[in-house]
Amino acid sequence: MLKRIFCIAVSLLLIGNLILFSFAEEKDVTLLHNCDSSFGSFRLDKDSKRGSCLAHTFSAGTDSFANQTQFKPIDASEGDTLAIEVYLSDPAMLANIREMYVEITSSGTCDKQENAWPLHSVLKSGKVKAGWNTIYLYLNESYETEGACDLSAINYIRIFGFFEGKAISGETIKFDYIRMIYTGGYDYADLSMTFYRGDNTNVDIYIDGQNDPDLENRHSNITMTVGGKVQ
């Protein structure tokens, strides 16, 4: 009987956690830029999957871009993660990135009240695929310049990158749906759960997750082991 009760409890707990994870996936979403209006020198593109987005196609003479946009202050104070959709025509182009950053500020300009993330550390072959990718950038992993961005009054975004243009001539990078979300600072990728029966009355739970953001796949690698009493 105890074994049956234990199995039912474990099943309900696992289902409850999966439901919680799915609801927590992108909470308190605040749109900063929908990428269907001009953004520096990025051209407006019509993508079959995303609709309007911002694009940059590399030519032999183009090895960098630095584009920014100002807007009325947006309150995203509930967020802790910057999320962006990024399209790559060929991930092999990433080998030619010298550096690429995305920045948000509340000063209306760059390098003041700013949080910035090195996209080149996230966009790596093996981590991204050809086509659209969702990139998550945690606030506590950003760089600050002359104070942090006031998240209740975000009014500026800049994306800049330096490339070896000749090596990626003809390739395209696109950006869409730039937003702040709340994740709680947790990641559930490759989540493992170990259940212990204790004294046949209590269930002790051990949860272990990775730190790298991978919200899309966080349900895919859940393992469960039922063992003996915790020593």
Side-chain angles (χ1 to χ4, degrees):
M1 175 63 73
L2 286 175
K3 183 177 180 181
R4 183 177 181 185
I5 293 173
F6 170 75
C7 291
I8 292 173
V10 167
S11 298
L12 291 174
L13 182 62
L14 184 58
I15 292 171
N17 275 284
L18 288 175
I19 292 173
L20 174 63
F21 297 162
S22 64
F23 280 120
E25 190 156 325
E26 285 203 1
K27 184 179 178 181
D28 296 324
V29 178
T30 302
L31 180 66
L32 299 182
H33 201 283
N34 56 14
C35 299
D36 64 359
S37 59
S38 60
F39 189 149
S41 65
F42 287 137
R43 63 180 174 83
L44 198 60
D45 187 68
K46 292 290 185 180
D47 185 88
S48 59
K49 290 187 177 181
R50 301 288 320 175
S52 295
C53 60
L54 301 171
H56 180 89
T57 299
F58 296 90
S59 64
T62 303
D63 63 359
S64 66
F65 57 72
N67 293 315
Q68 58 278 324
T69 183
Q70 290 178 298
F71 41 86
K72 292 181 179 179
I74 296 174
D75 185 354
S77 54
E78 296 297 320
D80 62 8
T81 302
L82 184 69
I84 310 176
E85 305 302 311
V86 180
Y87 171 92
L88 302 165
S89 59
D90 182 359
M93 77 168 75
L94 300 175
N96 299 291
I97 293 180
R98 293 207 300 273
E99 58 181 322
M100 182 162 61
Y101 284 83
V102 58
E103 305 167 340
I104 58 172
T105 81
S106 52
S107 62
T109 186
C110 63
D111 301 329
K112 186 178 182 180
Q113 295 177 329
E114 173 185 279
N115 287 83
W117 294 263
L119 278 177
H120 54 270
S121 66
V122 179
L123 296 173
K124 294 182 178 179
S125 294
K127 283 192 172 183
V128 292
K129 63 182 184 298
W132 285 100
N133 301 267
T134 303
I135 305 300
Y136 295 100
L137 304 166
Y138 290 133
L139 194 65
N140 60 9
E141 295 178 348
S142 64
Y143 300 99
E144 296 179 7
T145 305
E146 290 194 19
C149 175
D150 178 357
L151 297 184
S152 68
I154 302 172
N155 60 6
Y156 178 92
I157 298 172
R158 182 167 72 144
I159 301 175
F160 67 89
F162 300 96
F163 302 79
E164 300 295 340
K166 293 181 180 179
I168 54 177
S169 179
E171 300 295 346
T172 299
I173 187 169
K174 302 178 185 179
F175 300 93
D176 194 24
Y177 193 32
I178 303 173
R179 61 208 182 274
M180 286 294 296
I181 64 172
Y182 176 76
T183 66
Y186 297 105
D187 171 60
Y188 304 100
D190 296 323
L191 182 69
S192 62
M193 306 178 74
T194 303
F195 298 84
Y196 295 93
R197 294 180 67 174
D199 294 317
N200 292 322
T201 56
N202 298 316
V203 178
D204 299 307
I205 303 170
Y206 173 73
I207 299 178
D208 183 24
Q210 295 179 347
N211 293 321
D212 292 336
D214 186 10
L215 299 183
E216 285 189 328
N217 300 311
R218 62 187 177 180
H219 304 169
S220 62
N221 297 311
I222 295 179
T223 59
M224 181 176 69
T225 304
V226 178
K229 181 180 178 180
V230 179
Q231 298 300 319

